[in-house]
Amino acid sequence: MDNIVPQFIHGEIRTGGSPERLENLYPADGSKLGEVSIASEEDVEDAVRSSKDAFETWSAMTGTERGRILRKAAEILRKRNDELAEVEVEDTGKPIFEASAVDIISGADALEFFGGLAASISGEHIQLGKSFAYVKREPLGVTAGIGAWNYPMQIACWKAAPALAAGNTMIFKPAEETPRNAVNLAEIFVEAGMPSGVFNVVQGGPQVGKQLVGHKDIAKVSLTGEVGTGQKVMEGASKTLKELSLELGGKNPMIIFNDADLEDAVQGAMMGNFYTQGEICSNGTRVYVHKRVMDDFCDQLIQEVQNLKIGDPKDPATRIGALISKEQKEKVLNYLQIGLEQGGELLFGGGEPDFGSGSPLANGYFVEPAAFYTESDNDRIAREEIFGPLMTILPFEEETDVIRRANDTPYGLAAGIFTRDIRRAHRVIGKLDAGVCWINNYNITPVEIPFGGVKMSGTGRENGRAAIDSWSRLKTVYVEMEGVGRPFD
Ligand code: NAD
């Protein structure tokens, strides 16, 4: 690929598109990696036509055949892990330490898992006396995936793998900030033997997304993005009443009881706040700590955070990379200011690291990991999704009180608790309004388990067997074995 990031339509790259271009920037130093071509309306129409054609072939193949291609693609992804991880680093600014261990591999896991399931997708037979019915599980048709920028390859694979395994075709639109690996994925699919048009990529911003959402020939849209975008997509989809999966934001609670293994809890809180510079939807950004262990927890946390190297994302020793954009950096710095103004106590961090004016990183979008202590759940830092390395620590004493406070949010994506009391663990989890919960760990999202939110964090599930249900529909067929008779007699 040269430095114009193209569309990928019907097996071919395309750079024409609309006359405008987007910039592809490296968040670690703000340098321009290249430009992104934006799909014109005609490009999107071509992609839909191509996907419709390809659907005829792809849906007629057996699950075994489709699965073999998906598993072959997983193999290629694993072989090209280092190179693809570097692209992920350049597009997102996250550390290579993470991208090479998680981002591409979790995408490959999804292709393998759903590639394995493809052959076992089946319906049901229901005997009704001498007559019977069967229920077929059918693909939906042409579908669309719209991605966020924090896990570009993983998001593309989490959507494409179950959709394609079930026999659908997909048009994928990556986030405008992170356009490159979706095209690499499309090329890998073709190399693995996938027919042209089964997976097309269109580039661009909200306008291109809107065209997909409103298109009458697209049966389902799966979005990963902000709540506000989810609302617009739901509204846009209402005109054609298409199926939707919405993977949206969160302000997730993590509850640390006084009997918790504190070392685990500190590591869990760090993982749930500072991985990918805090740009993770399921992060546990409201950390409720029992009053009796608050001091120990904070002391250990302060100690551990000092070991996190912030800086050059391509340095394998780096643990905190750059935020996605200048706007995101300013947003996070603004929340730090708000936290201070509302009376929060800043325990550590809270600024831009000083790399020295001669360093290219001085132009990057870095913010040091930070934690606030506050006793008010109403502080904006305790209520709003920040999507950066900013943890809010809140004290609690009573189990019932902390459950109420944990649920007092419009969001419901994830929740975690740390305790050694097995009964309490399950009792509390049973009362939390969240789609994904962890006991004594945080942010573990293997492809085998369903992932998704409740309340304003979205609808639908990715991963696990549940994802196959969401990318297929049922057709019920009644078979009469005895004749109609005379129903009006
Ligand atoms: P965003 O909502 O700004 O953009 C997401 C995608 O939607 C982009 O591809 C964008 O071009 C597209 N888009 C924007 N407006 C659109 C419209 N009107 N119609 C159709 N498409 C439109 O989100 P972002 O800033 O890229 O990502 C950060 C957000 O994503 C955070 O809120 C985060 O919590 C959320 N997120 C959720 C999950 C999850 O699985 N629940 C995972 C990752 C990120």
Side-chain angles (χ1 to χ4, degrees):
M1 199 190 303
D2 57 23
N3 62 354
I4 296 181
V5 189
Q7 335 287 322
F8 191 92
I9 298 171
H10 212 69
E12 283 173 7
I13 61 168
R14 225 188 241 200
T15 50
S18 69
E20 304 135 74
R21 293 268 157 88
L22 293 163
E23 288 191 320
N24 185 204
L25 301 178
Y26 181 34
D29 60 14
S31 64
K32 192 165 154 182
L33 299 162
E35 293 191 334
V36 190
S37 73
I38 303 176
S40 63
E41 282 188 22
E42 199 42 49
D43 287 330
V44 174
E45 285 303 331
D46 284 353
V48 174
R49 265 192 296 275
S50 150
S51 291
K52 275 172 90 172
D53 284 355
F55 179 71
E56 297 301 317
T57 324
W58 185 246
S59 60
M61 285 164 68
T62 66
T64 304
E65 289 167 329
R66 289 197 298 267
R68 192 179 302 132
I69 292 171
L70 293 174
R71 292 198 311 277
K72 175 77 186 156
E75 217 176 275
I76 303 171
L77 235 64
R78 288 190 198 284
K79 268 197 204 126
R80 291 177 55 186
N81 181 54
D82 292 354
E83 163 220 339
L84 296 168
E86 192 163 326
V87 173
E88 215 69 332
V89 168
E90 286 179 348
D91 272 9
T92 62
K94 70 170 67 187
I96 189 73
F97 164 77
E98 288 184 27
S100 62
V102 174
D103 291 57
I104 312 304
I105 289 169
S106 60
D109 284 351
L111 296 170
E112 248 161 28
F113 177 78
F114 289 107
L117 277 187
S120 65
I121 298 172
S122 61
E124 195 184 0
H125 167 99
I126 301 156
Q127 196 64 41
L128 300 161
K130 288 187 178 142
S131 297
F132 64 93
Y134 60 93
V135 184
K136 291 173 73 178
R137 190 162 279 287
E138 297 183 330
L140 302 168
V142 177
T143 64
I146 301 179
W149 42 255
N150 57 342
Y151 278 86
M153 182 63 103
Q154 185 192 77
I155 290 172
C157 290
W158 280 16
K159 296 190 190 307
L164 304 187
N168 304 284
T169 54
M170 174 171 274
I171 302 168
F172 188 78
K173 190 198 85 61
E176 43 274 54
E177 296 86 348
T178 55
R180 289 199 284 162
N181 263 338
V183 180
N184 287 328
L185 180 64
E187 287 178 335
I188 287 168
F189 279 149
V190 170
E191 189 186 334
M194 196 174 279
S196 297
V198 172
F199 184 78
N200 290 319
V201 176
V202 292
Q203 305 283 3
Q207 201 48 43
V208 177
K210 267 191 214 159
Q211 201 185 336
L212 294 171
V213 170
H215 205 290
K216 67 177 179 29
D217 292 333
I218 294 180
K220 167 170 176 161
V221 169
S222 173
L223 166 83
T224 299
E226 289 179 357
V227 170
T229 309
Q231 288 170 320
K232 285 182 201 150
V233 165
M234 195 174 239
E235 205 182 325
S238 70
K239 296 190 184 69
T240 48
L241 284 177
K242 48 174 61 68
E243 301 246 358
L244 280 183
S245 287
L246 301 174
E247 297 290 341
L248 310 176
K251 187 75 190 178
N252 310 294
M254 184 185 297
I255 306 172
I256 297 164
F257 286 94
N258 53 358
D259 65 345
D261 177 326
L262 221 49
E263 212 179 306
D264 263 2
V266 168
Q267 293 301 323
M270 284 169 60
M271 190 156 69
N273 279 273
F274 302 142
Y275 216 66
T276 300
Q277 309 81 234
E279 296 166 316
I280 297 183
C281 52
S282 50
N283 270 356
T285 44
R286 287 185 290 144
V287 184
Y288 291 97
V289 181
H290 193 278
K291 268 191 173 163
R292 259 195 271 152
V293 291
M294 179 61 87
D295 288 347
D296 284 351
F297 175 84
C298 291
D299 289 349
Q300 284 187 36
L301 180 69
I302 292 167
Q303 196 62 34
E304 287 289 330
V305 170
Q306 285 170 6
N307 300 325
L308 298 178
K309 182 171 186 248
I310 181 166
D312 180 3
K314 291 186 181 175
D315 175 352
T318 296
R319 296 294 178 267
I320 308 285
L323 295 169
I324 188 71
S325 62
K326 194 161 179 279
E327 296 72 51
Q328 193 68 13
K329 179 180 94 172
E330 274 156 16
K331 180 180 167 192
V332 177
L333 291 174
N334 189 39
Y335 270 107
L336 281 160
Q337 205 48 46
I338 293 168
L340 289 171
E341 280 164 16
Q342 293 200 307
E345 180 192 342
L346 187 62
L347 299 182
F348 56 81
E352 296 179 65
D354 183 8
F355 296 115
S357 58
S359 166
L361 301 181
N363 299 320
Y365 317 133
F366 294 88
V367 177
E368 290 169 347
F372 272 103
Y373 173 88
T374 173
E375 295 186 0
S376 163
D377 289 7
N378 291 325
D379 285 3
R380 285 183 61 194
I381 53 164
R383 297 208 68 79
E384 298 172 16
E385 187 187 46
I386 299 169
F387 227 55
L390 204 166
M391 177 190 304
T392 302
I393 300 171
L394 302 130
F396 77 94
E397 272 178 302
E398 296 296 325
E399 181 182 305
T400 45
D401 180 52
V402 79
I403 292 169
R404 180 192 56 75
R405 291 164 66 193
N407 287 335
D408 182 18
T409 168
Y411 297 109
L413 183 54
I417 75 168
F418 283 83
T419 176
R420 286 191 173 97
D421 180 340
I422 189 169
R423 288 190 184 152
R424 170 155 58 199
H426 297 293
R427 184 172 64 234
V428 173
I429 288 289
K431 292 187 177 148
L432 293 176
D433 288 335
V436 195
C437 299
W438 296 279
I439 297 173
N440 292 332
N441 209 331
Y442 204 85
N443 262 351
I444 305 297
T445 56
V447 66
E448 294 88 344
I449 65 177
F451 181 87
V454 299
K455 295 171 31 185
M456 298 215 37
S457 291
T459 170
R461 291 293 175 271
E462 299 198 302
N463 293 343
R465 286 181 175 274
I468 293 290
D469 293 352
S470 83
W471 287 102
S472 57
R473 64 186 185 192
L474 297 178
K475 177 180 280 173
T476 302
V477 183
Y478 176 87
V479 182
E480 179 58 64
M481 296 294 284
E482 294 191 287
V484 179
R486 294 186 54 79
F488 289 99
D489 278 0

